[in-house]
Amino acid sequence: MAPRRVRRAGPQRPRPRVRAPRARRVPAVALHQLPERRSAGHGPRQRLPGAGVSAAAPRAGGRVVELVAERSLDVVEREVPEPGPGEARVRIRAVGICGTDVHGYLGRSDRLPMTLGHDAVGIVDALGADADAEHGTADDVTPAVTVGDRVTIDPTVRCGVCGSCRAGLPQVCSGGGYLGMTATGTMADYLTVPVGNLVPVADGVSDVAATVLEPIAVALHLLDRVGAFSPPARIAHVIGGGPLGVLLGQTLGVFGWAVTVHEPQAYRRIVAASAGLSVAEPGQVTPDSAPVLIVETSATAPGVQLARTLATPGSTIGLVGRAPADFTSAEILLKELSVLGVRAGVGQYPAAIDLVARGLVTPLITVSHEFALDAASEAFAAVTDPAREVMRAVLLAEPTPERSTEGNTP
């Protein structure tokens, strides 16, 4: 399958001069239609495996994309794994290439060889023993999955028994991991995972859209983390206009935040503007004295420096990207800043799917290129080539007509 550039409705060349308009808010009608959140209040939550839940490490089979060295990928054939107790085997249909995958490809992977990928959609192919019992069917949890269900995979792997898991913080599980980073990822034909990590995908959400759910889940986790630290005016500055920054900003907008996305690359600013967000080049906005929310998604030193510049006294900073820079304790103290780490979006995928199914967040606007799974090397080469202007690429293991239901056909 030859790679395709996906063209979507929105601004086209010639590119307009980008200004920094006043931050825009989502119309009030959208806010009234939001799903009611439990506890922190953002929508349906997924049940996470608790104490006593155990499963083998995720295992990939069929065609498997392995990172074997910096900028070097192999597509190898592996035996299709059988799901163990409490596990499901998923036949992968599509996988998104995330910024985290790119960082690993460029040399930041902690282990080699590594199967990359964590943003995926697929079909439940087989269930291990006791899989239904592990998943649960209470009113406030994800419905039990069955063979043939279309699902996405919450990529946070947790043991269920450590102190963090018992405290409801599986994203920092001492014995867990993350698909595609510290555990086998989703760039394969088949993957076995604990059944509690599976989340059914609504019919109104296409395969390609379901490969860009993580940024929305992260945004919902961010909102939970901000909580009492929320600035009164609900003004947010998102640093980085990649898929994570754009969809995180769009999700914040749905919940009433006035969002400006700061991004140096013009084509990304155009995508952010098409998502209904205010945009600015770095350094274009001069902050006033009111406290704001700043979300650093770029994972770059200049991004952290911009966050420091925008951080007015009393502001809250959410760190989503792992940047090679930091804030000083002096500025945190003297400005009385609140700095929050936001790691993954565990448990937030049902609510993310709901927002997409209702058209409140539109992940497809970030997908610019599609490649076959076998063309993973070509895909990563394109993603890392600035001249190609790849916003987000998707690897298709099983091209299906359902993808065209949200305008995904060029």
Side-chain angles (χ1 to χ4, degrees):
M1 172 181 168
R4 297 189 296 176
R5 177 90 181 226
V6 181
R7 301 195 179 277
R8 309 194 187 284
Q12 302 292 329
R13 290 187 176 93
R15 294 171 178 163
R17 182 170 61 90
V18 179
R19 298 180 300 164
R22 291 176 62 88
R24 287 173 280 185
R25 294 185 184 273
V26 172
V29 62
L31 299 178
H32 293 320
Q33 296 173 346
L34 291 176
E36 182 180 353
R37 290 276 279 178
R38 299 179 184 275
S39 61
H42 300 297
R45 296 295 298 272
Q46 136 191 18
R47 176 176 177 251
L48 306 177
V53 174
S54 62
R59 290 155 290 142
R63 293 173 300 167
V64 179
V65 178
E66 289 189 346
L67 177 68
V68 295
E70 183 177 334
R71 293 180 178 267
S72 180
L73 297 168
D74 286 342
V75 180
V76 299
E77 287 284 341
R78 301 289 186 210
E79 182 179 355
V80 176
E82 293 296 326
E87 292 183 330
R89 186 175 65 207
V90 179
R91 187 177 76 250
I92 303 296
R93 289 168 62 151
V95 184
I97 299 179
C98 177
T100 304
D101 301 316
V102 175
H103 293 158
Y105 176 76
L106 295 177
R108 288 175 59 177
S109 179
D110 295 330
R111 51 183 280 199
L112 293 173
M114 168 58 72
T115 302
L116 299 175
H118 55 264
D119 295 324
V121 63
I123 302 296
V124 177
D125 180 72
L127 292 172
D130 301 323
D132 290 334
E134 298 285 9
H135 207 268
T137 56
D139 291 341
D140 62 343
V141 302
T142 308
V145 296
T146 60
V147 172
D149 285 351
R150 191 167 65 111
V151 295
T152 190
I153 305 170
D154 188 324
T156 299
V157 181
R158 52 267 184 181
C159 72
V161 298
C162 69
S164 296
C165 287
R166 294 197 307 270
L169 299 171
Q171 68 272 20
V172 291
C173 170
S174 60
Y178 207 77
L179 299 185
M181 295 176 63
T182 58
T184 298
T186 58
M187 291 186 184
D189 282 324
Y190 295 91
L191 186 70
T192 60
V193 293
V195 72
N197 287 68
L198 301 183
V199 184
V201 176
D203 290 341
V205 179
S206 72
D207 281 357
V208 171
T211 68
V212 208
L213 292 171
E214 186 197 32
I216 308 167
V218 169
L220 294 172
H221 180 45
L222 168 71
L223 287 171
D224 281 352
R225 292 281 285 140
V226 169
F229 300 102
S230 176
R234 287 204 169 192
I235 295 172
H237 295 276
V238 176
I239 299 173
L244 174 58
V246 169
L247 295 179
L248 186 148
Q250 196 178 44
T251 304
L252 291 179
V254 168
F255 287 94
W257 290 80
V259 180
T260 299
V261 173
H262 300 255
E263 168 56 46
Q265 300 185 68
Y267 77 96
R268 288 184 165 190
R269 292 197 299 271
I270 290 173
V271 175
S274 73
L277 301 167
S278 296
V279 295
E281 297 182 48
Q284 191 174 6
V285 172
T286 301
D288 58 23
S289 59
V292 296
L293 171 64
I294 300 162
V295 188
E296 207 300 295
T297 74
S298 72
T300 65
V304 171
Q305 182 56 47
L306 179 57
R308 298 171 71 178
T309 301
L310 295 172
T312 51
S315 290
T316 298
I317 301 170
L319 298 179
V320 177
R322 188 175 67 174
D326 211 341
F327 299 85
T328 68
S329 58
E331 62 191 323
I332 294 172
L333 170 64
L334 297 177
K335 286 187 174 182
E336 206 166 77
L337 303 176
S338 299
V339 181
L340 305 173
V342 182
R343 185 174 179 178
V346 62
Q348 304 286 358
Y349 279 78
I353 291 168
D354 184 64
L355 291 174
V356 175
R358 298 173 64 181
L360 297 175
V361 182
T362 54
L364 279 178
I365 63 173
T366 67
V367 178
S368 59
H369 292 69
E370 297 173 353
F371 296 82
L373 183 68
D374 288 332
S377 292
E378 182 181 353
F380 274 84
V383 170
T384 54
D385 180 359
R388 297 285 296 272
E389 296 189 346
V390 178
M391 183 71 173
R392 173 87 172 193
V394 173
L395 299 177
L396 301 175
E398 285 190 7
T400 59
E402 285 83 356
R403 293 186 297 105
S404 65
T405 61
E406 292 191 32
N408 193 53
T409 301

Short mmCIF file of all heavy atoms in Angstrom, two decimals, residues 37-38 43-49 135-136 138-143 152-156 158 170 194-200 217 345-353:
data_model
loop_
_atom_site.label_atom_id
_atom_site.label_comp_id
_atom_site.label_asym_id
_atom_site.label_seq_id
_atom_site.Cartn_x
_atom_site.Cartn_y
_atom_site.Cartn_z
N ARG A 37 -19.34 14.20 34.77
CA ARG A 37 -18.16 13.48 35.26
C ARG A 37 -18.43 12.90 36.64
O ARG A 37 -19.15 13.46 37.44
CB ARG A 37 -16.97 14.45 35.39
CG ARG A 37 -16.43 14.90 34.07
CD ARG A 37 -15.46 13.92 33.49
NE ARG A 37 -14.14 14.06 34.08
CZ ARG A 37 -13.14 13.29 33.76
NH1 ARG A 37 -13.29 12.32 32.90
NH2 ARG A 37 -11.97 13.46 34.31
N ARG A 38 -17.80 11.77 36.92
CA ARG A 38 -17.83 11.19 38.25
C ARG A 38 -16.65 11.76 39.03
O ARG A 38 -15.62 12.05 38.48
CB ARG A 38 -17.74 9.67 38.18
CG ARG A 38 -18.91 9.07 37.41
CD ARG A 38 -18.77 7.57 37.33
NE ARG A 38 -19.84 7.01 36.52
CZ ARG A 38 -21.04 6.71 36.96
NH1 ARG A 38 -21.33 6.91 38.23
NH2 ARG A 38 -21.95 6.22 36.16
N GLY A 43 -17.06 12.45 32.90
CA GLY A 43 -17.63 11.46 32.00
C GLY A 43 -17.39 10.04 32.48
O GLY A 43 -16.90 9.81 33.57
N PRO A 44 -17.76 9.06 31.68
CA PRO A 44 -17.61 7.66 32.10
C PRO A 44 -16.16 7.33 32.38
O PRO A 44 -15.26 7.79 31.70
CB PRO A 44 -18.15 6.87 30.89
CG PRO A 44 -18.06 7.82 29.75
CD PRO A 44 -18.25 9.18 30.30
N ARG A 45 -15.95 6.55 33.40
CA ARG A 45 -14.60 6.13 33.76
C ARG A 45 -14.46 4.64 33.56
O ARG A 45 -15.41 3.89 33.63
CB ARG A 45 -14.29 6.49 35.22
CG ARG A 45 -14.29 7.98 35.51
CD ARG A 45 -13.17 8.69 34.77
NE ARG A 45 -11.87 8.21 35.18
CZ ARG A 45 -11.19 8.71 36.21
NH1 ARG A 45 -11.70 9.69 36.92
NH2 ARG A 45 -10.00 8.24 36.52
N GLN A 46 -13.23 4.21 33.35
CA GLN A 46 -12.97 2.82 33.10
C GLN A 46 -12.50 2.15 34.39
O GLN A 46 -11.77 2.73 35.16
CB GLN A 46 -11.95 2.75 31.96
CG GLN A 46 -10.84 1.82 32.06
CD GLN A 46 -9.81 2.10 30.98
OE1 GLN A 46 -9.79 3.16 30.39
NE2 GLN A 46 -8.95 1.16 30.74
N ARG A 47 -12.98 0.95 34.63
CA ARG A 47 -12.54 0.19 35.80
C ARG A 47 -11.13 -0.30 35.58
O ARG A 47 -10.80 -0.87 34.55
CB ARG A 47 -13.46 -0.99 36.05
CG ARG A 47 -13.01 -1.89 37.20
CD ARG A 47 -14.05 -2.97 37.41
NE ARG A 47 -13.64 -3.91 38.45
CZ ARG A 47 -13.27 -5.15 38.21
NH1 ARG A 47 -13.21 -5.59 36.97
NH2 ARG A 47 -12.95 -5.96 39.21
N LEU A 48 -10.27 -0.07 36.57
CA LEU A 48 -8.89 -0.51 36.47
C LEU A 48 -8.70 -1.76 37.31
O LEU A 48 -9.28 -1.88 38.38
CB LEU A 48 -7.95 0.59 36.97
CG LEU A 48 -8.15 1.95 36.30
CD1 LEU A 48 -7.22 2.97 36.92
CD2 LEU A 48 -7.91 1.83 34.81
N PRO A 49 -7.89 -2.70 36.85
CA PRO A 49 -7.66 -3.90 37.64
C PRO A 49 -7.14 -3.56 39.02
O PRO A 49 -6.32 -2.68 39.19
CB PRO A 49 -6.59 -4.65 36.82
CG PRO A 49 -6.75 -4.14 35.44
CD PRO A 49 -7.18 -2.71 35.58
N HIS A 135 -12.78 -8.14 33.99
CA HIS A 135 -13.13 -6.85 33.42
C HIS A 135 -14.25 -6.16 34.16
O HIS A 135 -14.24 -4.95 34.30
CB HIS A 135 -13.51 -7.02 31.94
CG HIS A 135 -13.27 -5.80 31.12
ND1 HIS A 135 -14.22 -4.85 30.90
CD2 HIS A 135 -12.15 -5.37 30.49
CE1 HIS A 135 -13.72 -3.88 30.14
NE2 HIS A 135 -12.47 -4.17 29.88
N GLY A 136 -15.24 -6.88 34.64
CA GLY A 136 -16.31 -6.25 35.40
C GLY A 136 -17.37 -5.63 34.51
O GLY A 136 -17.12 -5.22 33.40
N ALA A 138 -20.08 -3.48 36.16
CA ALA A 138 -20.90 -2.57 36.95
C ALA A 138 -21.25 -1.32 36.15
O ALA A 138 -20.64 -1.03 35.13
CB ALA A 138 -20.14 -2.18 38.22
N ASP A 139 -22.23 -0.55 36.64
CA ASP A 139 -22.72 0.59 35.88
C ASP A 139 -21.64 1.63 35.63
O ASP A 139 -21.68 2.35 34.64
CB ASP A 139 -23.88 1.25 36.63
CG ASP A 139 -25.12 0.37 36.63
OD1 ASP A 139 -25.19 -0.54 35.78
OD2 ASP A 139 -25.99 0.59 37.49
N ASP A 140 -20.67 1.75 36.53
CA ASP A 140 -19.69 2.81 36.40
C ASP A 140 -18.36 2.32 35.83
O ASP A 140 -17.33 2.94 36.03
CB ASP A 140 -19.44 3.46 37.75
CG ASP A 140 -18.87 2.47 38.78
OD1 ASP A 140 -18.98 1.26 38.54
OD2 ASP A 140 -18.33 2.94 39.80
N VAL A 141 -18.36 1.21 35.11
CA VAL A 141 -17.12 0.69 34.56
C VAL A 141 -17.30 0.41 33.08
O VAL A 141 -18.40 0.44 32.54
CB VAL A 141 -16.68 -0.61 35.27
CG1 VAL A 141 -16.52 -0.37 36.76
CG2 VAL A 141 -17.66 -1.73 35.04
N THR A 142 -16.18 0.14 32.42
CA THR A 142 -16.23 -0.22 31.03
C THR A 142 -16.97 -1.53 30.84
O THR A 142 -16.76 -2.47 31.58
CB THR A 142 -14.79 -0.39 30.50
OG1 THR A 142 -14.06 0.78 30.84
CG2 THR A 142 -14.77 -0.58 29.01
N PRO A 143 -17.85 -1.63 29.83
CA PRO A 143 -18.55 -2.89 29.59
C PRO A 143 -17.56 -4.02 29.31
O PRO A 143 -16.48 -3.80 28.78
CB PRO A 143 -19.40 -2.58 28.35
CG PRO A 143 -19.52 -1.10 28.31
CD PRO A 143 -18.25 -0.57 28.91
N THR A 152 -10.07 0.00 21.69
CA THR A 152 -8.77 0.63 21.81
C THR A 152 -8.12 0.09 23.07
O THR A 152 -8.75 -0.62 23.86
CB THR A 152 -8.90 2.17 21.87
OG1 THR A 152 -7.58 2.75 21.76
CG2 THR A 152 -9.55 2.63 23.16
N ILE A 153 -6.85 0.40 23.25
CA ILE A 153 -6.08 -0.16 24.36
C ILE A 153 -5.55 0.97 25.23
O ILE A 153 -4.80 1.83 24.73
CB ILE A 153 -4.90 -1.01 23.85
CG1 ILE A 153 -5.40 -2.10 22.90
CG2 ILE A 153 -4.14 -1.63 25.01
CD1 ILE A 153 -4.28 -2.84 22.16
N ASP A 154 -5.94 0.98 26.49
CA ASP A 154 -5.32 1.90 27.44
C ASP A 154 -3.89 1.41 27.64
O ASP A 154 -3.66 0.30 28.11
CB ASP A 154 -6.10 1.88 28.76
CG ASP A 154 -5.63 2.95 29.73
OD1 ASP A 154 -4.41 3.23 29.76
OD2 ASP A 154 -6.46 3.49 30.48
N PRO A 155 -2.87 2.22 27.30
CA PRO A 155 -1.50 1.70 27.25
C PRO A 155 -0.79 1.60 28.60
O PRO A 155 0.35 1.12 28.64
CB PRO A 155 -0.78 2.72 26.36
CG PRO A 155 -1.56 3.98 26.51
CD PRO A 155 -2.98 3.57 26.72
N THR A 156 -1.42 2.00 29.69
CA THR A 156 -0.77 1.91 31.00
C THR A 156 -0.85 0.49 31.54
O THR A 156 -1.95 -0.03 31.76
CB THR A 156 -1.41 2.89 32.00
OG1 THR A 156 -1.25 4.23 31.51
CG2 THR A 156 -0.76 2.77 33.37
N ARG A 158 -0.21 -2.03 34.61
CA ARG A 158 -0.08 -1.90 36.07
C ARG A 158 -0.17 -3.28 36.72
O ARG A 158 -0.79 -4.20 36.19
CB ARG A 158 -1.16 -1.00 36.64
CG ARG A 158 -2.58 -1.34 36.25
CD ARG A 158 -3.04 -0.58 35.04
NE ARG A 158 -4.44 -0.83 34.70
CZ ARG A 158 -5.03 -0.27 33.65
NH1 ARG A 158 -4.38 0.53 32.87
NH2 ARG A 158 -6.30 -0.52 33.42
N PRO A 170 -2.38 4.09 39.20
CA PRO A 170 -1.69 3.06 38.40
C PRO A 170 -0.72 3.62 37.38
O PRO A 170 0.16 2.90 36.92
CB PRO A 170 -2.85 2.32 37.73
CG PRO A 170 -3.95 3.33 37.67
CD PRO A 170 -3.83 4.14 38.93
N PRO A 194 -3.79 -7.33 29.23
CA PRO A 194 -4.84 -7.57 30.22
C PRO A 194 -6.17 -7.03 29.72
O PRO A 194 -6.24 -5.94 29.14
CB PRO A 194 -4.35 -6.78 31.44
CG PRO A 194 -2.87 -6.70 31.28
CD PRO A 194 -2.65 -6.59 29.80
N VAL A 195 -7.22 -7.80 29.91
CA VAL A 195 -8.51 -7.41 29.36
C VAL A 195 -9.00 -6.10 29.97
O VAL A 195 -9.77 -5.36 29.35
CB VAL A 195 -9.54 -8.55 29.56
CG1 VAL A 195 -9.95 -8.68 31.02
CG2 VAL A 195 -10.76 -8.36 28.67
N GLY A 196 -8.55 -5.77 31.18
CA GLY A 196 -8.94 -4.51 31.80
C GLY A 196 -8.40 -3.30 31.09
O GLY A 196 -8.85 -2.17 31.36
N ASN A 197 -7.43 -3.47 30.19
CA ASN A 197 -6.90 -2.35 29.42
C ASN A 197 -7.69 -2.08 28.14
O ASN A 197 -7.38 -1.11 27.44
CB ASN A 197 -5.44 -2.63 29.04
CG ASN A 197 -4.49 -2.51 30.20
OD1 ASN A 197 -4.54 -3.32 31.12
ND2 ASN A 197 -3.64 -1.51 30.20
N LEU A 198 -8.68 -2.90 27.86
CA LEU A 198 -9.45 -2.73 26.63
C LEU A 198 -10.66 -1.85 26.87
O LEU A 198 -11.35 -1.96 27.88
CB LEU A 198 -9.90 -4.09 26.09
CG LEU A 198 -8.78 -5.08 25.75
CD1 LEU A 198 -9.37 -6.35 25.17
CD2 LEU A 198 -7.76 -4.46 24.80
N VAL A 199 -10.93 -0.98 25.90
CA VAL A 199 -12.07 -0.07 25.97
C VAL A 199 -12.83 -0.16 24.65
O VAL A 199 -12.26 0.12 23.59
CB VAL A 199 -11.63 1.38 26.22
CG1 VAL A 199 -12.85 2.28 26.38
CG2 VAL A 199 -10.74 1.47 27.45
N PRO A 200 -14.11 -0.55 24.66
CA PRO A 200 -14.88 -0.62 23.41
C PRO A 200 -14.96 0.75 22.74
O PRO A 200 -15.09 1.78 23.40
CB PRO A 200 -16.26 -1.10 23.88
CG PRO A 200 -16.00 -1.81 25.17
CD PRO A 200 -14.87 -1.06 25.81
N ALA A 217 -7.44 11.72 26.34
CA ALA A 217 -7.39 11.11 27.66
C ALA A 217 -6.41 11.85 28.57
O ALA A 217 -6.68 12.05 29.76
CB ALA A 217 -6.99 9.63 27.54
N GLY A 345 -3.12 8.98 30.46
CA GLY A 345 -4.54 9.26 30.67
C GLY A 345 -5.28 8.03 31.12
O GLY A 345 -6.40 7.74 30.66
N VAL A 346 -4.67 7.28 32.04
CA VAL A 346 -5.23 6.01 32.48
C VAL A 346 -6.64 6.20 33.03
O VAL A 346 -6.92 7.12 33.78
CB VAL A 346 -4.31 5.35 33.52
CG1 VAL A 346 -4.18 6.19 34.77
CG2 VAL A 346 -4.78 3.94 33.86
N GLY A 347 -7.54 5.33 32.60
CA GLY A 347 -8.92 5.37 33.06
C GLY A 347 -9.81 6.38 32.35
O GLY A 347 -11.02 6.41 32.58
N GLN A 348 -9.25 7.19 31.45
CA GLN A 348 -10.00 8.28 30.83
C GLN A 348 -10.48 7.94 29.41
O GLN A 348 -11.16 8.77 28.79
CB GLN A 348 -9.13 9.54 30.76
CG GLN A 348 -8.58 10.02 32.09
CD GLN A 348 -9.63 10.67 32.97
OE1 GLN A 348 -10.79 10.80 32.57
NE2 GLN A 348 -9.25 11.10 34.16
N TYR A 349 -10.17 6.77 28.91
CA TYR A 349 -10.49 6.48 27.51
C TYR A 349 -11.99 6.41 27.22
O TYR A 349 -12.42 6.86 26.15
CB TYR A 349 -9.76 5.20 27.07
CG TYR A 349 -8.33 5.47 26.71
CD1 TYR A 349 -7.37 5.64 27.71
CD2 TYR A 349 -7.92 5.61 25.39
CE1 TYR A 349 -6.05 5.92 27.40
CE2 TYR A 349 -6.61 5.89 25.07
CZ TYR A 349 -5.67 6.05 26.07
OH TYR A 349 -4.37 6.35 25.77
N PRO A 350 -12.83 5.88 28.09
CA PRO A 350 -14.26 5.91 27.79
C PRO A 350 -14.79 7.34 27.60
O PRO A 350 -15.57 7.61 26.68
CB PRO A 350 -14.90 5.23 29.00
CG PRO A 350 -13.84 4.32 29.52
CD PRO A 350 -12.56 5.08 29.32
N ALA A 351 -14.35 8.25 28.46
CA ALA A 351 -14.78 9.65 28.32
C ALA A 351 -14.22 10.27 27.06
O ALA A 351 -14.90 11.07 26.38
CB ALA A 351 -14.35 10.45 29.55
N ALA A 352 -12.98 9.93 26.69
CA ALA A 352 -12.39 10.45 25.46
C ALA A 352 -13.18 9.98 24.24
O ALA A 352 -13.48 10.76 23.33
CB ALA A 352 -10.93 10.01 25.36
N ILE A 353 -13.53 8.70 24.22
CA ILE A 353 -14.32 8.15 23.11
C ILE A 353 -15.67 8.86 23.03
O ILE A 353 -16.16 9.18 21.94
CB ILE A 353 -14.49 6.63 23.29
CG1 ILE A 353 -13.15 5.93 23.07
CG2 ILE A 353 -15.54 6.08 22.32
CD1 ILE A 353 -13.14 4.47 23.49
#
